[in-house]
Amino acid sequence: MTTNRGITNYGNNNTFSNNAIGKRAQVSVGAPSQESATDLSEEVSAWDIGVVTILSEELQAVRSALDLERHKEPSGLYFYRGTHSMPSGDLRVVATQSQSQGQRSAMGALENLRRHYNPRLWALVGVGGGIHDEHARIGNVIVSTDVIYYENRKINGKGDVRRRGEHRQAPAPVVHAVNAYFADNGTPARIRGQIPSHAAEEFSVYPGLIGSGEAVIADRESDIRQFLTGYHEKVLAVDMEAGGLSQYWQEHSVHGENNPGWVVVRGVSDNADEKKGHGFHELAARNAAHVLRELVPYLC
């Protein structure tokens, strides 16, 4: 007969499982569950590229450009995986879609990719709003290794708002890879449109900075646009996720393992003004996905 009182447990070092509390508490020791015994970040072999998309049109475009197939993990998460062949060998690519727009959801998607596939490179691919009249026309693509997060600000009396930009750059190997792409293809690089209705037209691909925050900008006179263009004249587009990507990378740079590089590829779907809408999402997403496919040999 069990006469113990209080708490009994069975555990390993500082991890306790199979606990029992109270009079005649008993512990039946069995094999640890697969979930508790598995550290995904350690056991999963590194994939080459992990792609984060936000909208369904973006994921569809990436799937088509890189020939990815749907895969459901035992955890219930869906990913889209495939192999991209190059002369130097095959690359494994995996893509996912965040649950919603914004920095926080993007960081959650990055964490899911890291835990299940541990990619060596992050790519944030999809649509954005152009804020540079010359370079960021609808259908053009911006390739960015620099992100300016614009949400930090000080609010003084009488409604005076002073924004404080936070600037992060991708690791040097990624910057060199993107520079090599433009050295080979010109600045801007010119490519045929990737949907049938624009196949006879060319779009331009520019290197440039991305402004990122939580606001959907649909006002040409927005103070955010004015701040970004005053902060750096080469801010070409805005989005709602690149700041989360750069922050996620920054916070993981303290770990001992290799920290993946990152790049942002944004097709311009609107000009962040009163005409903002969804009419050019497919065009911008497919152009961006095509540019990612062209960048892969340089990035990996």
Side-chain angles (χ1 to χ4, degrees):
M1 177 179 296
T2 303
T3 59
N4 56 297
R5 297 173 180 268
I7 300 173
T8 65
N9 62 66
Y10 174 80
N12 179 19
N13 295 330
N14 290 326
T15 301
F16 300 99
S17 59
N18 302 314
N19 301 319
I21 301 175
K23 187 176 181 180
R24 297 184 179 179
Q26 299 183 58
V27 172
S28 177
V29 178
S33 68
Q34 182 177 359
E35 181 179 359
S36 63
T38 301
D39 185 343
L40 292 173
S41 64
E42 294 181 358
E43 295 200 1
V44 173
S45 62
W47 283 52
D48 297 292
I49 303 174
V51 182
V52 172
T53 63
I54 312 303
L55 305 176
S56 59
E57 298 98 322
E58 298 169 346
L59 180 57
Q60 290 167 359
V62 169
R63 289 182 66 186
S64 177
L66 297 174
D67 194 23
L68 308 181
E69 296 183 356
R70 186 179 69 246
H71 171 78
K72 185 178 181 180
E73 290 287 345
S75 63
L77 295 174
Y78 283 91
F79 297 94
Y80 299 80
R81 314 187 311 187
T83 301
H84 186 74
S85 297
M86 297 197 312
S88 59
D90 291 341
L91 298 176
R92 296 193 299 171
V93 182
V94 57
T96 190
Q97 181 179 354
S98 67
Q99 290 191 19
S100 60
Q101 291 180 309
Q103 316 290 341
R104 294 170 299 172
S105 190
M107 293 176 76
L110 289 164
E111 177 63 14
N112 288 334
L113 279 174
R114 185 193 69 81
R115 293 186 66 247
H116 287 277
Y117 295 94
N118 196 23
R120 294 198 293 254
L121 176 77
W122 305 116
L124 179 62
V125 183
V127 306
I131 62 171
H132 193 284
D133 291 339
E134 181 181 354
H135 298 334
R137 296 188 179 95
I138 290 176
N140 284 356
V141 174
I142 311 303
V143 178
S144 182
T145 55
D146 292 85
V147 172
I148 298 172
Y149 181 71
Y150 61 72
E151 290 290 359
N152 293 338
R153 58 198 184 274
K154 180 180 181 181
I155 302 176
N156 296 319
K158 299 180 181 180
D160 179 29
V161 178
R162 298 187 180 182
R163 295 191 178 273
R164 297 171 173 176
E166 188 174 300
H167 185 182
R168 290 200 181 96
Q169 186 178 56
V174 178
V175 177
H176 282 286
V178 171
N179 289 345
Y181 168 80
F182 285 105
D184 287 350
N185 295 277
T187 306
R190 300 194 183 276
I191 302 173
R192 292 288 182 185
Q194 294 302 299
I195 64 175
S197 60
H198 289 73
E201 304 171 6
E202 286 187 334
F203 66 89
S204 298
V205 186
Y206 288 95
L209 281 71
I210 295 286
S212 189
E214 296 290 353
V216 176
I217 304 174
D219 179 9
R220 180 169 285 274
E221 304 303 321
S222 165
D223 71 300
I224 296 173
R225 290 182 58 140
Q226 295 175 19
F227 167 76
L228 289 172
T229 54
Y231 186 95
H232 199 301
E233 75 280 4
K234 290 188 178 180
V235 178
L236 303 185
V238 290
D239 77 0
M240 297 175 64
E241 292 80 30
L245 168 63
S246 64
Q247 180 74 23
Y248 184 91
W249 177 86
Q250 179 73 19
E251 294 192 8
H252 280 78
S253 65
V254 299
H255 299 305
E257 67 268 16
N258 291 332
N259 199 24
W262 58 265
V263 66
V264 180
V265 184
R266 288 300 193 195
V268 178
S269 62
D270 61 76
N271 293 126
D273 58 15
E274 292 77 6
K275 297 180 181 179
K276 179 180 176 63
H278 305 286
F280 294 103
H281 277 180
E282 182 184 6
L283 170 67
R286 290 195 176 274
N287 287 355
H290 178 80
V291 170
L292 173 65
R293 181 185 175 92
E294 288 206 332
L295 282 168
V296 166
Y298 295 87
L299 294 166
C300 296

